[in-house]
Amino acid sequence: MNSKNHKSDILDYIEYLSFAIILCLSIYSVFHNLIVGIGGLVFLGVLVFLFASRKKRDDLLWKKRMQEMSFKLAKLSKKSLLGIPLPICVLELNGDISWSNSSFDRMVGVPEGKTAIGISLDDLVGEITLRKILDESKVIEDEFEFKGRKYMLNYSFTKLNEDSNDNSSDYKIIVYWIDNTELEDLKQKYEDDREVVMIIEVDGYEDVIKSTPEENRSILSMKIEKTLSEIEAETKGLMKKIYNDRYILFMRKSEFKLIEKGKFAILDKARQIDCENSLPVSFSIGVGYGGNTIEETGDFASGAIDMVLGRGGDQVAIKNQEGYNFYGGKSKNFERKTKVRSRLIGVALKEIINQSDKILIMGHSYPDMDAMGAAVGIYDMCKFYGKKANIVLDNVNEAVEIFINRLKEKEYYEGLFISHERAIDMCDAKTLVVVLDTHRPSYTECEELLDISKRVVVIDHHRRGVEYIHDTILLFHEVYVSSTCEMVTELIQYTDNNIKINKLTAEGLLGGVYLDTKNFEFKTGVRTFEAAAFLRNLGADTLAVKKFFDSYAEDFLIKADIIKKTKIIDNKICISYSLEEINNINLIVAKAADELLNIKSIEASFVLGIKGDTVFISARSIGNINVHVIMEKLGGGGHIDIAGAQIKDLTISQAYDMLKDTIMEYLEEE
C-alpha cells in the first residue's frame, strides 16, 4: 500500500512539472507568435481541468472504498469478537455486563439463546476484583479460579467515545479471560516432580546404643531401621545409608509436602522406640529443595542438617531459596559424657593462639556473667601461653559490674579491656577474634571486627538461629552444655595438664555456670559439676561468686511490681512487664522471669522490659514448654528452658501483644 501511494505521488509530481513546462512555453510563444501562445494556454487550461476532474473522481472513489472497507472491518471485528475462543466481556463501572461474546456466555453457563448482558459479573462468577483499573493507560492482570479452571484476567479501562465529554457512562471495563489451566497444571507438575534431598541423622547413636541392655541392642537398631524404612515407603523415595547414624533420602516434592503437612510424625515415632534404652531415640532431619541444580539442593540439605545439629537435634530444618523453616525441637538435649571433642577443640585452640600476634575477645552486647566469665577464661589461657589479649567492652552493665570492678583492682588484669574504637584500630585480617556466648553477628559486642578479621573462633552453647557467623576457623558449638563458662572450663582443663589460671578467673567462670544453671537447678549434668569442682580446686570462692549477683534495693521493688502485674495464660504461663527505663532492666526482667517459675502449676514465664528503643524479653521454662521456639519467632533464641529476645522500634505495649499472640499460636500448635 505504501509503495503504491509513493508511486502515485511521483506521477503527480511529473504532471505538475509538465504543466509548468507547457505554461512557460506558452508564455514564451505569446511574445513571438500570439496565436500559438494563446493556443498553448488554452490547451494548458483544458489539461488542468481534466487533471482536476480526474483527481476529484479518484478521491471520491478512494473514500468510497475506505468506507466499504471500514464497514467490512467492523463486521469482521464484530464477528471475530462474537466467535473468538477467548472469553471477553465488557463491564459498566458498577460491574454489570454490557456486552459479552459467546465464549464468555458458554464459560459462565448461560443457556443457549440467552445472554449475560445486564447481569452483574459477581452474580455469575462470584466476587471478583475490579480494583486498580481507573488508570486508562494501564492494563491490570489478576488470577482467578472458576469452575476448576485457572484464568488470567486482563482488565482494560477504556473510553468508548474520545470526542465526548468526560461522562462516566462513556467508560467501560473490558475483561479478557485467558485460560491458563493447562499451563498452571504443567507448572505444578514440574514443581511437584522436583527433587528433594533429606539427610537423616540418629542423634547420639553410639550413646543411645550403649544406654540399651546388650541383649536389646540389635533389636533397637532394627527398630530404628524399620522406622526409617517406613518414611522411605511413605515418600516413595530412595534411601541410602551413609554411616551407622546417617542416611540420605531422595524423593519428589509432592511426596515431601505430604509428610510436611503431617508435621513430620516420624519425630514422634522415633521417641516411641523402647528397648529399655535409658536415652531416647531421636532424629535430626535436614531437608533441601528448590535449588537451581541438584548440587545446590544437596548443599541446602547439608546446610539444613548442620542447622538442626546446631539447634540440639530432634527436629527438622527445611532450607530452600527463601530461607529456613523448622519443625519439632521440643525435647530436651541429653548430655554427652565423652570429653573427646573438648580435648580436640582445646588442642586446636592452643595452636591457633600460639600462631596469633593480636587477640581480641568479645561476648554479646550487654554481657552477662557467662559471657564475661568465659572471656576472662580465654584471656587467662592466652596469658598462660605468653600471648597478650584484650577483651572488647564499651559499657559496663549491672550484670557484670561487680566482677569487672574486681578485675580492674587486680594488677594481673591491667589493660584487659579496650573500647570498640581501639579494637577496630587494632584489628586486621590476621587478628584472632574469639566470640563467646553468641553465634549471631548482630548480637556481638563489636560486629565490625567480624568484617575485618579473617580468623574468627566461636564458642557458644545456644541453639543455632538462622543468623550465624560464617567462615570461622574454629567452631565449638554444643547446645547440651549448661553454659559457655563450662565449655571454656573444659578447654582449660583438657588443653594442658600444667595450665594455671588466676583465682578470680576461676570465680568468673564459676559465676557464669551459676548464672546459666540458676544455681545448679537447670540444665546441669555430670560434666557441669565436674567443671565446678575443677574451678573450686583452683581456688574459686563460692561466697565471692555469690557476691557477683548482689542487687540494689530498687531492683527488688521493680521486680515486685513486675510480679504484681503478672497475668496467667492457660493456667500455666506467666506474662508480665516493667515500664521502668533503667540501665539494668534486662537483668531485672531475667530475675523476675526466674522468680515467676516458683508459682505453683506455672510451666513458663515471660517478662518484658524497655531500654531506649529496645524491648527486652526474658523467657523461662521448666522444660515442658519450649521457650526457644517462641523467642525465635520474635527474632531471639536460647534454649528450651532459658531464652530471650530483643525487639527494636516497638512500644512495650506492641511487643506485649506480639508476644501474647506468639504464645497463643504456640499453644494452638501444641
Side-chain angles (χ1 to χ4, degrees):
M1 178 69 74
N2 289 335
S3 62
K4 289 182 179 180
N5 289 338
H6 183 64
K7 188 174 181 180
S8 177
D9 290 341
I10 293 175
L11 291 174
D12 287 344
Y13 293 145
I14 293 174
E15 288 180 339
Y16 293 145
L17 181 60
S18 300
F19 293 156
I21 293 172
I22 293 172
L23 177 63
C24 293
L25 291 174
S26 297
I27 294 172
Y28 176 79
S29 298
V30 167
F31 293 101
H32 292 81
N33 189 325
L34 183 62
I35 295 174
V36 173
I38 292 172
L41 291 173
V42 172
F43 178 71
L44 175 63
V46 173
L47 286 178
V48 170
F49 175 78
L50 292 174
F51 175 79
S53 299
R54 182 177 60 81
K55 192 74 173 172
K56 185 177 181 180
R57 187 174 64 253
D58 289 346
D59 288 344
L60 290 173
L61 181 61
W62 175 254
K63 288 181 180 179
K64 184 178 180 181
R65 287 179 178 177
M66 289 300 297
Q67 287 174 348
E68 290 176 354
M69 181 62 71
S70 297
F71 180 74
K72 289 178 181 179
L73 285 174
K75 289 181 67 178
L76 182 62
S77 298
K78 185 177 180 181
K79 189 174 181 181
S80 298
L81 285 174
L82 287 170
I84 193 172
L86 178 68
I88 302 173
C89 63
V90 179
L91 308 177
E92 302 290 346
L93 296 184
N94 62 1
D96 289 345
I97 299 171
S98 60
W99 180 87
S100 63
N101 65 357
S102 56
S103 296
F104 177 83
D105 291 344
R106 284 194 300 271
M107 181 191 77
V108 297
V110 174
E112 191 72 30
K114 294 188 178 182
T115 178
I117 296 174
I119 304 174
S120 172
L121 184 62
D122 286 352
D123 293 339
L124 289 174
V125 301
E127 187 175 352
I128 193 168
T129 299
L130 295 176
R131 66 184 185 277
K132 296 188 296 186
I133 54 174
L134 298 179
D135 183 358
E136 60 185 280
S137 64
K138 186 187 297 183
V139 175
I140 307 297
E141 290 186 346
D142 195 14
E143 294 179 351
F144 188 76
E145 189 166 340
F146 178 65
K147 291 185 177 180
R149 307 293 292 180
K150 299 167 186 174
Y151 294 92
M152 176 64 70
L153 304 189
N154 189 300
Y155 300 97
S156 178
F157 188 63
T158 305
K159 186 176 182 181
L160 296 183
N161 188 355
E162 296 292 342
D163 297 327
S164 68
N165 295 327
D166 189 12
N167 191 321
S168 62
S169 63
D170 293 327
Y171 288 91
K172 306 292 181 183
I173 303 168
I174 303 175
V175 186
Y176 302 89
W177 297 68
I178 304 169
D179 192 341
N180 282 343
T181 307
E182 283 72 23
L183 177 61
E184 292 299 321
D185 289 347
L186 188 61
K187 285 182 180 178
Q188 188 60 52
K189 186 177 186 307
Y190 168 74
E191 195 64 30
D192 288 343
D193 288 343
R194 295 192 71 180
E195 67 282 345
V196 174
V197 179
M198 178 184 290
I199 300 174
I200 305 173
E201 182 167 314
V202 184
D203 297 326
Y205 179 78
E206 296 296 334
D207 292 329
V208 173
I209 292 294
K210 289 177 181 177
S211 74
T212 307
E214 190 167 352
E215 64 273 14
N216 291 343
R217 290 179 182 177
S218 59
I219 300 174
L220 176 65
S221 180
M222 182 183 67
K223 285 188 175 182
I224 291 173
E225 294 275 356
K226 182 182 178 183
T227 303
L228 292 172
S229 65
E230 287 176 1
I231 191 173
E232 179 184 18
E234 184 181 349
T235 59
K236 302 174 185 175
L238 174 65
M239 180 179 287
K240 292 294 181 183
K241 188 173 185 177
I242 306 174
Y243 308 111
N244 283 338
D245 60 348
R246 182 170 282 205
Y247 302 77
I248 186 167
L249 175 61
F250 300 92
M251 71 190 82
R252 295 192 309 162
K253 186 178 176 182
S254 57
E255 304 298 335
F256 166 72
K257 284 299 180 181
L258 293 176
I259 61 171
E260 184 183 20
K261 188 176 180 180
K263 296 187 177 180
F264 297 93
I266 188 174
L267 297 177
D268 296 324
K269 289 180 181 179
R271 288 189 289 269
Q272 291 168 6
I273 296 175
D274 184 9
C275 291
E276 299 181 34
N277 42 299
S278 58
L279 293 178
V281 176
S282 63
F283 295 152
S284 292
I285 301 176
V287 181
Y289 72 84
N292 294 322
T293 63
I294 186 66
E295 181 181 11
E296 186 178 18
T297 300
D299 290 340
F300 285 167
S302 296
I305 192 67
D306 289 342
M307 177 66 73
V308 169
L309 296 175
R311 292 163 61 86
D314 188 26
Q315 58 190 285
V316 179
I318 304 167
K319 186 178 182 184
N320 54 25
Q321 299 280 9
E322 298 176 356
Y324 286 94
N325 196 13
F326 301 98
Y327 292 90
K330 298 174 183 177
S331 64
K332 286 189 175 182
N333 311 116
F334 58 87
E335 181 185 26
R336 273 73 166 177
K337 293 188 170 110
T338 175
K339 302 181 180 71
V340 174
R341 181 165 167 77
S342 295
R343 290 190 179 95
L344 294 175
I345 294 289
V347 171
L349 181 60
K350 174 182 176 180
E351 185 176 344
I352 291 170
I353 290 173
N354 286 328
Q355 293 172 352
S356 304
D357 295 324
K358 289 185 289 185
I359 303 172
L360 297 175
I361 306 165
M362 64 176 173
H364 50 77
S365 55
Y366 305 107
D368 55 14
M369 274 304 301
D370 190 31
M372 192 52 59
V376 177
I378 295 295
Y379 166 83
D380 232 350
M381 282 184 67
C382 296
K383 191 163 186 175
F384 178 80
Y385 294 125
K387 298 291 182 177
K388 179 174 174 54
N390 296 99
I391 297 175
V392 183
L393 182 67
D394 246 11
N395 299 309
V396 179
N397 61 77
E398 188 182 336
V400 293
E401 182 182 16
I402 298 173
F403 179 56
I404 288 178
N405 288 338
R406 286 192 59 189
L407 291 171
K408 290 179 177 179
E409 293 170 0
K410 295 276 187 178
E411 185 179 344
Y412 181 84
Y413 301 100
E414 185 177 356
L416 173 63
F417 298 104
I418 60 173
S419 66
H420 290 186
E421 290 75 13
R422 175 74 180 124
I424 292 170
D425 290 341
M426 285 178 57
C427 190
D428 56 36
K430 295 182 180 179
T431 301
L432 175 62
V433 177
V434 182
V435 178
L436 299 159
D437 204 32
T438 184
H439 58 271
R440 300 187 175 193
S442 61
Y443 278 32
T444 56
E445 178 71 31
C446 184
E447 187 177 354
E448 291 85 350
L449 299 180
L450 303 177
D451 298 325
I452 300 171
S453 174
K454 303 300 180 186
R455 304 177 72 242
V456 178
V457 172
V458 175
I459 303 174
D460 186 30
H461 70 120
H462 295 97
R463 286 190 167 200
R464 178 177 286 191
V466 173
E467 178 200 11
Y468 61 93
I469 299 171
H470 296 269
D471 302 323
T472 57
I473 61 171
L474 185 64
L475 175 63
F476 190 20
H477 192 191
E478 302 288 359
V479 297
Y480 55 84
V481 179
S482 71
S483 59
T484 307
C485 282
E486 179 185 326
M487 297 169 70
V488 172
T489 300
E490 286 192 350
L491 294 179
I492 294 171
Q493 187 176 4
Y494 299 114
T495 299
D496 198 311
N497 291 330
N498 300 317
I499 194 169
K500 301 292 182 185
I501 62 172
N502 190 277
K503 175 178 176 290
L504 185 54
T505 300
E507 290 174 349
L509 289 166
L510 188 57
V513 177
Y514 264 47
L515 176 71
D516 274 17
T517 61
K518 307 304 170 191
N519 298 332
F520 296 98
E521 292 178 4
F522 289 95
K523 211 177 182 189
T524 53
V526 173
R527 290 169 62 175
T528 309
F529 288 104
E530 288 179 354
F534 173 74
L535 295 171
R536 186 73 181 89
N537 285 333
L538 292 176
D541 185 346
T542 54
L543 185 60
V545 170
K546 185 178 182 301
K547 290 286 185 183
F548 294 152
F549 303 99
D550 287 348
S551 300
Y552 297 108
E554 53 266 31
D555 294 351
F556 282 97
L557 295 176
I558 295 173
K559 187 170 71 172
D561 183 60
I562 291 172
I563 295 172
K564 183 180 178 181
K565 290 187 291 192
T566 298
K567 302 293 183 184
I568 298 179
I569 300 173
D570 201 31
N571 297 320
K572 59 184 178 182
I573 297 176
C574 285
I575 181 170
S576 188
Y577 62 92
S578 173
L579 297 176
E580 299 288 340
E581 291 202 34
I582 57 177
N583 287 333
N584 64 326
I585 190 65
N586 54 317
L587 180 62
I588 295 173
V589 297
K591 290 181 177 179
D594 290 333
E595 191 70 30
L596 289 173
L597 282 185
N598 293 325
I599 300 175
K600 190 175 182 180
S601 301
I602 294 302
E603 298 180 8
S605 62
F606 300 84
V607 181
L608 301 88
I610 189 166
K611 179 161 62 175
D613 64 346
T614 304
V615 174
F616 294 87
I617 305 177
S618 282
R620 300 292 185 266
S621 169
I622 61 173
N624 295 332
I625 293 175
N626 190 337
V627 292
H628 164 77
V629 171
I630 297 173
M631 289 295 96
E632 188 175 50
K633 291 181 179 180
L634 298 176
H639 301 283
I640 287 177
D641 42 21
I642 300 175
Q646 299 176 16
I647 306 175
K648 290 186 177 293
D649 302 323
L650 285 183
T651 65
I652 199 162
S653 177
Q654 291 171 326
Y656 183 95
D657 292 339
M658 186 184 296
L659 172 61
K660 192 172 180 180
D661 291 342
T662 306
I663 292 171
M664 297 306 296
E665 182 182 333
Y666 174 87
L667 292 175
E668 288 175 5
E669 291 176 356
E670 289 292 298

